[in-house]
């Protein structure tokens, strides 16, 4: 009988491969078979590197700003959130969240850290 951890790891590897393949096909126009093979290799390399470790993946990771997020930020005039939501096919709440995220990221880049607080987020 297989151990539960092995089943979970196999599921994560399979989903990583599926999700990554979809992105490579959609965003880069890769052939679906090539995208799947590439993602399978990446997933197995990650498994080799991190296998045997407990790795926590938070739901709200701080990613670098995307081009879309910056477009939304630049287009925002203080009154056009509903228009931006329609244009980008997002909810108004998502637009407000993106605006707040961009502001935080820009603030981090512009403001120096006080000594002893470099690691504070």
């Amino acid at each position: 009988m297989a151990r539960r951890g092995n089943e979970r790891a196999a599921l994560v590897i399979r989903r990583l491969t599926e999700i990554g393949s979809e992105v490579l096909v959609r965003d880069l126009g890769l052939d679906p078979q090539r995208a799947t093979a590439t993602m399978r290799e990446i997933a197995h390399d990650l498994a080799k590197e991190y296998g045997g470790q407990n790795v926590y993946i938070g739901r709200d990771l701080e990613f670098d700003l995307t081009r879309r997020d910056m477009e939304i930020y630049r287009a925002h005039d203080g009154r056009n959130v509903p228009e931006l939501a329609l244009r980008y096919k997002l909810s108004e709440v998502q637009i407000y969240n993106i605006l707040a995220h961009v502001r935080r990221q820009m603030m981090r880049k512009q403001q120096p850290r006080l000594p002893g607080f470099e690691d504070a987020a």
Side-chain angles (χ1 to χ4, degrees):
M1 179 190 312
R3 291 182 13 210
R4 176 104 173 104
N6 290 342
E7 292 171 16
R8 184 74 176 146
L11 174 65
V12 169
I13 294 294
R14 187 168 42 255
R15 284 300 295 146
L16 176 62
T17 301
E18 291 168 356
I19 293 167
S21 298
E22 291 169 9
V23 171
L24 290 174
V25 169
R26 181 189 69 226
D27 293 354
L28 300 179
L30 255 59
D31 169 71
Q33 289 178 331
R34 183 169 181 211
T36 299
T38 300
M39 281 310 303
R40 189 173 292 130
E41 184 175 340
I42 291 169
H44 285 286
D45 285 349
L46 284 170
K48 280 188 262 181
E49 185 166 336
Y50 295 101
Q53 299 179 34
N54 286 327
V55 178
Y56 173 78
I57 301 172
R59 291 185 181 269
D60 59 349
L61 295 174
E62 292 288 328
F63 292 105
D64 290 334
L65 299 175
T66 65
R67 184 179 310 144
R68 180 204 66 185
D69 293 351
M70 286 305 298
E71 287 174 7
I72 291 170
Y73 182 79
R74 288 187 185 112
H76 181 245
D77 66 8
R79 300 180 314 266
N80 63 343
V81 168
E83 174 192 322
L84 293 171
L86 286 172
R87 184 186 317 166
Y88 289 95
K89 295 179 174 61
L90 298 169
S91 71
E92 290 182 26
V93 170
Q94 288 172 305
I95 296 293
Y96 283 116
N97 288 338
I98 288 168
L99 293 170
H101 176 71
V102 172
R103 270 189 230 106
R104 277 193 311 272
Q105 292 291 82
M106 292 179 79
M107 190 84 81
R108 283 184 186 142
K109 288 181 181 178
Q110 293 172 357
Q111 289 187 345
R113 295 276 183 206
L114 293 173
F117 293 93
E118 289 86 0
D119 294 331

